[in-house]
Amino acid sequence: MWTRDQQAARAAKELQDGFYVNLGIGMPTLVANFIPEGVDVTLQSENGMLGMGPFPFAGEEDPDLINAGKQTITELDRTSYFSSADSFAMIRGGHIDLSILGAMEVADNGDIANWMIPGKMVKGMGGAMDLVAGVKKIIVLMEHNAKDGSAKFKTACTLPLTGKGVVDMVISELAVLARPAKGAPFRLIELAPGIDLDMLKARTEGHFEA
Amino acid sequence: MWTRDQQAARAAKELQDGFYVNLGIGMPTLVANFIPEGVDVTLQSENGMLGMGPFPFAGEEDPDLINAGKQTITELDRTSYFSSADSFAMIRGGHIDLSILGAMEVADNGDIANWMIPGKMVKGMGGAMDLVAGVKKIIVLMEHNAKDGSAKFKTACTLPLTGKGVVDMVISELAVLARPAKGAPFRLIELAPGIDLDMLKARTEGHFEA
Amino acid sequence: MANKLYPDAKAALEGLLFDGMTIMSGGFGLCGIPEKLIAALRDAGVKGLTVISNNAGVDGFGLGQLLETRQIAKMISSYVGENKEFERQYLAGELQLEFNPQGTLAERIRAGGAGIPGFYTKTGVGTLVAEGKEHKDFATASGTETYILETGLIADVSIVKAWKADPYGNLIFRKTSRNFNPMMATAGKVTVVEVEELVPAGTFDPDHIHTPGVFVQRLFVGRDYEKRIEQRTVRQREPA
Amino acid sequence: MANKLYPDAKAALEGLLFDGMTIMSGGFGLCGIPEKLIAALRDAGVKGLTVISNNAGVDGFGLGQLLETRQIAKMISSYVGENKEFERQYLAGELQLEFNPQGTLAERIRAGGAGIPGFYTKTGVGTLVAEGKEHKDFATASGTETYILETGLIADVSIVKAWKADPYGNLIFRKTSRNFNPMMATAGKVTVVEVEELVPAGTFDPDHIHTPGVFVQRLFVGRDYEKRIEQRTVRQREPA
């Protein structure tokens, strides 16, 4: 079984040199800590920045310089700023290579639900629907099971969708499931140490090819 | 009867302080020479410039600085540059107060034809269709009659249209015809010196209120 | 030159406000929000507002101030997570809420300002966002895909925060405080702008101007910006 | 960093060209055209091109060079007035021509790059341009108005001229040579850019960048720009 850091490091292996990448809030932000040696990626922040740098040193925070999680950040020698319309034109137009997002549920047809639970206060989808619809490749980083033990990789999402048929890869603490193209079935790509196929199947609802 | 310069000067009286104005190629460019004292207007050039200055002095021409007529021009202390998409967003979004254009025909319902003659080589409409559709007020500066003597202000355009029902005012060497709103009929606003109503009617085909 | 300069937020909003109006308010989170104009809207007491803004401020700051005074009837936003008073009013049915995907919201505002009444997008297809909207298939490089129609948005007044302006209303934004401000400047029937600094005409390189003055009707310099930070994240210096 | 730098136009186009492809070419008139890339297309001899460009160059310069060699099968433009060879080929039926209103052309390219397959515009309603296009009514501030559907455009390769670039492909344009170049940079499956000057990484103020590097796949520095002027208009100095 992978720790959260190991899960993020596994996701970081999907980064390719020259990729433009958008990382979602939460566990996906950890991926930035594990970018492989010799792989140069440029991080996009959908509030209007390409080339996101690390957090600032204490005392050097700039309120005019935040990421989409509203965290203070810094710029790099490659950074450019632009409006929200230009930022989502970049996303919607398919110019971002990869987005790594969290999810509450993923279905084996690639549907993803990560923005609302009916009956609870809904905070809004932010940029998640735009990202899953527009970015070339979508990787979901999530825990394999919900707190009640139910599988999060399902035959069908029960929660309202964020996007239909959009997920390319799921990385949980147990395994990597992926498919070569939208519309294709998911396959088991890799098992975490100490996990075997039966264990994985017992904790999974959605279909995948072994 | 007005000379071409007088016609342009008459059009310049329609300029109001603070107006953003797009001037078409040909006679409309003369209007810039007659901007009234105390009236400050900003000229837009649809190839991506707001705040167009006069022609440069000889030897100071800059090939990167031209207007929509491809003439060398200069910038002012108010100038900004932008892309063609942003320029026509400005035009299409109704942010330009006034456009002064030439025309081959104008109909008394406000239709305008100024881009093609069937059977002749067609050079294209350039930005004319966008201007007549997007700018708040459209003034046509034209000769009252064609070379064959036929009226250019007609009951209906015979040439392919540039825009439907878009013209607000026509200024010829004989008279000013205008209407208070799109859809309203044209009225005679002013006669050039030496022209009376009968003379005007004799040389006009389209309907106007006297 | 037609004068665009006003002494302060109150003067800049004079004569523009009416109950039930629609206001666009720039900013992302608390970054790049028109602090002074929001406070002036609160002081003016105008009611029944529809506010188009990516977020809804926090309790007691930004648009949170207009929620406390119950001046907002409806929000059009993409994310409203940081505001307890918002949550209370919404759950009590006192506040209408229309969620838009953030990119759809940005594009709707850009379209409104650009005279485009509608456009098609893949964002939200197959989700709640698509319900009741026209669907249309387009041929793409990867085959036929389904898109939904989204409409342009305009406002009676847009309130915008820029970094610097010149007297013609040309604007320059700073870093990620640009966000929704430039599009909103284009989509207000009247656009009112607050800036940190007014520079003399001709100071800006014309290639550096983000918003041309044609979009700005009124302008003033704000003083003592608070610029609150929502998530102060820092890293440690390496020990020497 | 993935290398985007190429030694010259020929190298920058290597492996990208095929007969029958669609190319977007920046510029307005002869201002801001990718001189070196157009010449390299001519030398490469690729045929049956569909070229999307506001204008078609002049005899012997700009896209006029590709007309002389009969490499262009179809032009999508707004105005083509300055080219006798163009006129000859068109009247002889050797060249297809699709006229777009200039603003519609600019917006179609912007839409293509932004993942918008279609949008509605008032431009051209009631004219030849509207024939065969979907019409739709939208409610506006001044009542219901009719609009037509226009579609997004993309290209196999976009050729773009910028003033300066850094090694990441961030671009800055100069004055009115910006024109169609920034949108075309977003709408090419591959975008190849020629610049007058390459500056070291970090030289640009990130608030001044017009085209972020994500849109630029290949880049080179052109030498000895001709930058022909079509209409050399000047004024007289007042006598001293």
Side-chain angles (χ1 to χ4, degrees), chain C residues 3 26 50 60 63 67 76 98 108 113-114 117 119-120 140 143 155 159 167 170 190 201 207 211 221 230:
Chain C
N3 180 40
T50 295
L63 292 174
L67 288 162
I76 300 178
E98 178 188 315
R108 292 183 71 191
F119 62 90
Y120 290 92
T140 71
I159 57 174
N170 292 312
V190 181
D207 278 327
T211 294
V221 179
E230 277 183 83

PDB file of all heavy atoms in Angstrom, chain C residues 3 26 50 60 63 67 76 98 108 113-114 117 119-120 140 143 155 159 167 170 190 201 207 211 221 230:
ATOM      1  N   ASN C   3     -13.614  63.964 -18.938  1.00  0.00           N
ATOM      2  CA  ASN C   3     -12.989  63.626 -17.663  1.00  0.00           C
ATOM      3  C   ASN C   3     -13.529  62.316 -17.107  1.00  0.00           C
ATOM      4  O   ASN C   3     -14.728  62.141 -16.953  1.00  0.00           O
ATOM      5  CB  ASN C   3     -13.238  64.741 -16.646  1.00  0.00           C
ATOM      6  CG  ASN C   3     -12.600  64.404 -15.317  1.00  0.00           C
ATOM      7  OD1 ASN C   3     -11.500  63.874 -15.272  1.00  0.00           O
ATOM      8  ND2 ASN C   3     -13.316  64.675 -14.232  1.00  0.00           N
ATOM      9  N   GLY C  26     -14.966  42.307  -9.854  1.00  0.00           N
ATOM     10  CA  GLY C  26     -13.734  41.604 -10.192  1.00  0.00           C
ATOM     11  C   GLY C  26     -13.079  40.925  -9.004  1.00  0.00           C
ATOM     12  O   GLY C  26     -13.471  41.122  -7.848  1.00  0.00           O
ATOM     13  N   THR C  50     -28.166  41.590  -8.011  1.00  0.00           N
ATOM     14  CA  THR C  50     -27.596  40.382  -8.597  1.00  0.00           C
ATOM     15  C   THR C  50     -26.114  40.662  -8.774  1.00  0.00           C
ATOM     16  O   THR C  50     -25.748  41.635  -9.453  1.00  0.00           O
ATOM     17  CB  THR C  50     -28.233  40.052  -9.949  1.00  0.00           C
ATOM     18  OG1 THR C  50     -29.612  39.727  -9.731  1.00  0.00           O
ATOM     19  CG2 THR C  50     -27.531  38.881 -10.619  1.00  0.00           C
ATOM     20  N   GLY C  60     -17.280  39.454   6.537  1.00  0.00           N
ATOM     21  CA  GLY C  60     -16.798  40.772   6.957  1.00  0.00           C
ATOM     22  C   GLY C  60     -15.856  41.459   5.990  1.00  0.00           C
ATOM     23  O   GLY C  60     -15.455  42.599   6.233  1.00  0.00           O
ATOM     24  N   LEU C  63     -17.141  40.937  -0.753  1.00  0.00           N
ATOM     25  CA  LEU C  63     -18.589  40.846  -0.931  1.00  0.00           C
ATOM     26  C   LEU C  63     -19.292  40.351   0.327  1.00  0.00           C
ATOM     27  O   LEU C  63     -20.510  40.506   0.453  1.00  0.00           O
ATOM     28  CB  LEU C  63     -18.914  39.948  -2.128  1.00  0.00           C
ATOM     29  CG  LEU C  63     -18.510  40.517  -3.499  1.00  0.00           C
ATOM     30  CD1 LEU C  63     -18.736  39.486  -4.594  1.00  0.00           C
ATOM     31  CD2 LEU C  63     -19.297  41.793  -3.806  1.00  0.00           C
ATOM     32  N   LEU C  67     -23.295  40.819   1.945  1.00  0.00           N
ATOM     33  CA  LEU C  67     -24.151  39.726   2.409  1.00  0.00           C
ATOM     34  C   LEU C  67     -24.657  40.037   3.817  1.00  0.00           C
ATOM     35  O   LEU C  67     -25.840  39.840   4.119  1.00  0.00           O
ATOM     36  CB  LEU C  67     -23.371  38.408   2.400  1.00  0.00           C
ATOM     37  CG  LEU C  67     -23.090  37.834   1.002  1.00  0.00           C
ATOM     38  CD1 LEU C  67     -21.971  36.805   1.049  1.00  0.00           C
ATOM     39  CD2 LEU C  67     -24.347  37.219   0.397  1.00  0.00           C
ATOM     40  N   ILE C  76     -24.092  34.990  -8.948  1.00  0.00           N
ATOM     41  CA  ILE C  76     -23.668  34.111 -10.042  1.00  0.00           C
ATOM     42  C   ILE C  76     -22.165  33.928  -9.879  1.00  0.00           C
ATOM     43  O   ILE C  76     -21.405  34.894 -10.035  1.00  0.00           O
ATOM     44  CB  ILE C  76     -24.024  34.729 -11.412  1.00  0.00           C
ATOM     45  CG1 ILE C  76     -25.546  34.937 -11.510  1.00  0.00           C
ATOM     46  CG2 ILE C  76     -23.520  33.838 -12.557  1.00  0.00           C
ATOM     47  CD1 ILE C  76     -26.007  35.593 -12.811  1.00  0.00           C
ATOM     48  N   GLU C  98     -26.569  30.909  -8.507  1.00  0.00           N
ATOM     49  CA  GLU C  98     -26.407  30.212  -9.780  1.00  0.00           C
ATOM     50  C   GLU C  98     -24.935  29.887  -9.939  1.00  0.00           C
ATOM     51  O   GLU C  98     -24.110  30.788 -10.067  1.00  0.00           O
ATOM     52  CB  GLU C  98     -26.875  31.112 -10.940  1.00  0.00           C
ATOM     53  CG  GLU C  98     -26.685  30.454 -12.305  1.00  0.00           C
ATOM     54  CD  GLU C  98     -26.957  31.412 -13.469  1.00  0.00           C
ATOM     55  OE1 GLU C  98     -27.955  32.145 -13.440  1.00  0.00           O
ATOM     56  OE2 GLU C  98     -26.138  31.422 -14.401  1.00  0.00           O
ATOM     57  N   ARG C 108     -18.416  33.637 -20.492  1.00  0.00           N
ATOM     58  CA  ARG C 108     -19.713  34.320 -20.633  1.00  0.00           C
ATOM     59  C   ARG C 108     -19.537  35.834 -20.495  1.00  0.00           C
ATOM     60  O   ARG C 108     -20.192  36.610 -21.185  1.00  0.00           O
ATOM     61  CB  ARG C 108     -20.710  33.829 -19.579  1.00  0.00           C
ATOM     62  CG  ARG C 108     -21.163  32.389 -19.762  1.00  0.00           C
ATOM     63  CD  ARG C 108     -22.212  32.014 -18.712  1.00  0.00           C
ATOM     64  NE  ARG C 108     -23.475  32.704 -18.981  1.00  0.00           N
ATOM     65  CZ  ARG C 108     -24.500  32.748 -18.124  1.00  0.00           C
ATOM     66  NH1 ARG C 108     -24.400  32.166 -16.925  1.00  0.00           N
ATOM     67  NH2 ARG C 108     -25.616  33.377 -18.448  1.00  0.00           N
ATOM     68  N   GLY C 113     -19.132  41.202 -23.193  1.00  0.00           N
ATOM     69  CA  GLY C 113     -18.413  42.418 -23.553  1.00  0.00           C
ATOM     70  C   GLY C 113     -18.067  42.493 -25.023  1.00  0.00           C
ATOM     71  O   GLY C 113     -17.848  43.573 -25.568  1.00  0.00           O
ATOM     72  N   ALA C 114     -18.011  41.327 -25.693  1.00  0.00           N
ATOM     73  CA  ALA C 114     -17.600  41.256 -27.096  1.00  0.00           C
ATOM     74  C   ALA C 114     -18.792  41.178 -28.048  1.00  0.00           C
ATOM     75  O   ALA C 114     -18.604  40.924 -29.241  1.00  0.00           O
ATOM     76  CB  ALA C 114     -16.681  40.048 -27.305  1.00  0.00           C
ATOM     77  N   PRO C 117     -23.754  36.809 -28.153  1.00  0.00           N
ATOM     78  CA  PRO C 117     -24.855  36.453 -27.251  1.00  0.00           C
ATOM     79  C   PRO C 117     -24.819  35.002 -26.796  1.00  0.00           C
ATOM     80  O   PRO C 117     -25.464  34.660 -25.813  1.00  0.00           O
ATOM     81  CB  PRO C 117     -26.093  36.714 -28.106  1.00  0.00           C
ATOM     82  CG  PRO C 117     -25.623  36.440 -29.502  1.00  0.00           C
ATOM     83  CD  PRO C 117     -24.195  36.917 -29.548  1.00  0.00           C
ATOM     84  N   PHE C 119     -22.336  31.009 -27.082  1.00  0.00           N
ATOM     85  CA  PHE C 119     -21.234  30.207 -27.610  1.00  0.00           C
ATOM     86  C   PHE C 119     -21.392  28.782 -27.096  1.00  0.00           C
ATOM     87  O   PHE C 119     -22.097  28.541 -26.114  1.00  0.00           O
ATOM     88  CB  PHE C 119     -19.875  30.787 -27.174  1.00  0.00           C
ATOM     89  CG  PHE C 119     -19.676  30.790 -25.678  1.00  0.00           C
ATOM     90  CD1 PHE C 119     -19.093  29.710 -25.022  1.00  0.00           C
ATOM     91  CD2 PHE C 119     -20.111  31.865 -24.912  1.00  0.00           C
ATOM     92  CE1 PHE C 119     -18.937  29.702 -23.643  1.00  0.00           C
ATOM     93  CE2 PHE C 119     -19.957  31.869 -23.528  1.00  0.00           C
ATOM     94  CZ  PHE C 119     -19.365  30.793 -22.899  1.00  0.00           C
ATOM     95  N   TYR C 120     -20.731  27.865 -27.770  1.00  0.00           N
ATOM     96  CA  TYR C 120     -20.821  26.453 -27.380  1.00  0.00           C
ATOM     97  C   TYR C 120     -19.565  26.025 -26.644  1.00  0.00           C
ATOM     98  O   TYR C 120     -18.456  26.442 -26.985  1.00  0.00           O
ATOM     99  CB  TYR C 120     -21.045  25.587 -28.621  1.00  0.00           C
ATOM    100  CG  TYR C 120     -22.426  25.783 -29.202  1.00  0.00           C
ATOM    101  CD1 TYR C 120     -22.656  26.729 -30.188  1.00  0.00           C
ATOM    102  CD2 TYR C 120     -23.511  25.076 -28.698  1.00  0.00           C
ATOM    103  CE1 TYR C 120     -23.938  26.949 -30.697  1.00  0.00           C
ATOM    104  CE2 TYR C 120     -24.788  25.286 -29.194  1.00  0.00           C
ATOM    105  CZ  TYR C 120     -24.996  26.216 -30.187  1.00  0.00           C
ATOM    106  OH  TYR C 120     -26.266  26.430 -30.668  1.00  0.00           O
ATOM    107  N   THR C 140     -15.220  17.515 -34.795  1.00  0.00           N
ATOM    108  CA  THR C 140     -13.902  17.946 -34.327  1.00  0.00           C
ATOM    109  C   THR C 140     -12.853  17.000 -34.895  1.00  0.00           C
ATOM    110  O   THR C 140     -13.183  16.007 -35.546  1.00  0.00           O
ATOM    111  CB  THR C 140     -13.803  17.900 -32.787  1.00  0.00           C
ATOM    112  OG1 THR C 140     -13.766  16.524 -32.381  1.00  0.00           O
ATOM    113  CG2 THR C 140     -14.987  18.585 -32.140  1.00  0.00           C
ATOM    114  N   GLY C 143     -13.553  13.406 -34.026  1.00  0.00           N
ATOM    115  CA  GLY C 143     -14.911  12.912 -34.245  1.00  0.00           C
ATOM    116  C   GLY C 143     -15.961  13.902 -33.770  1.00  0.00           C
ATOM    117  O   GLY C 143     -15.635  14.991 -33.309  1.00  0.00           O
ATOM    118  N   ALA C 155     -23.547  43.562 -17.366  1.00  0.00           N
ATOM    119  CA  ALA C 155     -23.967  44.108 -16.072  1.00  0.00           C
ATOM    120  C   ALA C 155     -24.347  45.567 -16.237  1.00  0.00           C
ATOM    121  O   ALA C 155     -23.879  46.246 -17.153  1.00  0.00           O
ATOM    122  CB  ALA C 155     -22.831  43.976 -15.067  1.00  0.00           C
ATOM    123  N   ILE C 159     -17.622  46.720 -11.432  1.00  0.00           N
ATOM    124  CA  ILE C 159     -16.633  47.348 -10.548  1.00  0.00           C
ATOM    125  C   ILE C 159     -15.344  46.536 -10.633  1.00  0.00           C
ATOM    126  O   ILE C 159     -15.338  45.311 -10.518  1.00  0.00           O
ATOM    127  CB  ILE C 159     -17.142  47.510  -9.104  1.00  0.00           C
ATOM    128  CG1 ILE C 159     -17.572  46.178  -8.484  1.00  0.00           C
ATOM    129  CG2 ILE C 159     -18.324  48.489  -9.060  1.00  0.00           C
ATOM    130  CD1 ILE C 159     -17.956  46.300  -6.998  1.00  0.00           C
ATOM    131  N   PRO C 167      -4.912  58.910 -17.206  1.00  0.00           N
ATOM    132  CA  PRO C 167      -6.165  59.688 -17.224  1.00  0.00           C
ATOM    133  C   PRO C 167      -7.128  59.287 -18.337  1.00  0.00           C
ATOM    134  O   PRO C 167      -8.314  59.602 -18.262  1.00  0.00           O
ATOM    135  CB  PRO C 167      -5.682  61.137 -17.426  1.00  0.00           C
ATOM    136  CG  PRO C 167      -4.255  61.142 -16.996  1.00  0.00           C
ATOM    137  CD  PRO C 167      -3.721  59.785 -17.329  1.00  0.00           C
ATOM    138  N   ASN C 170      -6.727  53.946 -19.526  1.00  0.00           N
ATOM    139  CA  ASN C 170      -5.923  52.765 -19.850  1.00  0.00           C
ATOM    140  C   ASN C 170      -5.483  52.104 -18.554  1.00  0.00           C
ATOM    141  O   ASN C 170      -5.059  52.794 -17.617  1.00  0.00           O
ATOM    142  CB  ASN C 170      -4.686  53.165 -20.663  1.00  0.00           C
ATOM    143  CG  ASN C 170      -5.044  53.655 -22.058  1.00  0.00           C
ATOM    144  OD1 ASN C 170      -5.814  53.020 -22.770  1.00  0.00           O
ATOM    145  ND2 ASN C 170      -4.487  54.797 -22.443  1.00  0.00           N
ATOM    146  N   VAL C 190     -21.749  50.459 -17.637  1.00  0.00           N
ATOM    147  CA  VAL C 190     -20.822  51.460 -17.102  1.00  0.00           C
ATOM    148  C   VAL C 190     -19.764  50.696 -16.312  1.00  0.00           C
ATOM    149  O   VAL C 190     -20.100  49.797 -15.532  1.00  0.00           O
ATOM    150  CB  VAL C 190     -21.526  52.462 -16.176  1.00  0.00           C
ATOM    151  CG1 VAL C 190     -20.534  53.501 -15.647  1.00  0.00           C
ATOM    152  CG2 VAL C 190     -22.695  53.133 -16.890  1.00  0.00           C
ATOM    153  N   ALA C 201      -0.528  60.813 -18.447  1.00  0.00           N
ATOM    154  CA  ALA C 201      -0.742  60.339 -19.815  1.00  0.00           C
ATOM    155  C   ALA C 201       0.604  60.101 -20.486  1.00  0.00           C
ATOM    156  O   ALA C 201       1.542  60.877 -20.295  1.00  0.00           O
ATOM    157  CB  ALA C 201      -1.546  61.365 -20.602  1.00  0.00           C
ATOM    158  N   ASP C 207       2.153  48.985 -25.766  1.00  0.00           N
ATOM    159  CA  ASP C 207       2.118  47.527 -25.910  1.00  0.00           C
ATOM    160  C   ASP C 207       1.862  46.815 -24.584  1.00  0.00           C
ATOM    161  O   ASP C 207       1.656  45.602 -24.559  1.00  0.00           O
ATOM    162  CB  ASP C 207       3.452  47.019 -26.484  1.00  0.00           C
ATOM    163  CG  ASP C 207       3.524  47.155 -28.000  1.00  0.00           C
ATOM    164  OD1 ASP C 207       2.474  47.018 -28.657  1.00  0.00           O
ATOM    165  OD2 ASP C 207       4.633  47.386 -28.512  1.00  0.00           O
ATOM    166  N   THR C 211      -6.067  46.857 -20.504  1.00  0.00           N
ATOM    167  CA  THR C 211      -7.429  47.277 -20.811  1.00  0.00           C
ATOM    168  C   THR C 211      -7.380  48.676 -21.412  1.00  0.00           C
ATOM    169  O   THR C 211      -7.025  49.633 -20.724  1.00  0.00           O
ATOM    170  CB  THR C 211      -8.290  47.278 -19.536  1.00  0.00           C
ATOM    171  OG1 THR C 211      -8.440  45.939 -19.065  1.00  0.00           O
ATOM    172  CG2 THR C 211      -9.666  47.866 -19.791  1.00  0.00           C
ATOM    173  N   VAL C 221      -8.514  56.846  -7.499  1.00  0.00           N
ATOM    174  CA  VAL C 221      -7.389  56.227  -6.799  1.00  0.00           C
ATOM    175  C   VAL C 221      -7.848  55.853  -5.388  1.00  0.00           C
ATOM    176  O   VAL C 221      -8.342  56.705  -4.643  1.00  0.00           O
ATOM    177  CB  VAL C 221      -6.193  57.195  -6.730  1.00  0.00           C
ATOM    178  CG1 VAL C 221      -5.028  56.537  -5.977  1.00  0.00           C
ATOM    179  CG2 VAL C 221      -5.762  57.589  -8.136  1.00  0.00           C
ATOM    180  N   GLU C 230      -5.864  35.077   1.955  1.00  0.00           N
ATOM    181  CA  GLU C 230      -6.711  34.002   2.488  1.00  0.00           C
ATOM    182  C   GLU C 230      -5.897  32.834   3.028  1.00  0.00           C
ATOM    183  O   GLU C 230      -6.185  32.291   4.086  1.00  0.00           O
ATOM    184  CB  GLU C 230      -7.694  33.504   1.415  1.00  0.00           C
ATOM    185  CG  GLU C 230      -8.937  34.366   1.324  1.00  0.00           C
ATOM    186  CD  GLU C 230      -9.936  33.830   0.311  1.00  0.00           C
ATOM    187  OE1 GLU C 230     -10.718  32.932   0.662  1.00  0.00           O
ATOM    188  OE2 GLU C 230      -9.930  34.322  -0.846  1.00  0.00           O
TER     189      GLU C 230
END
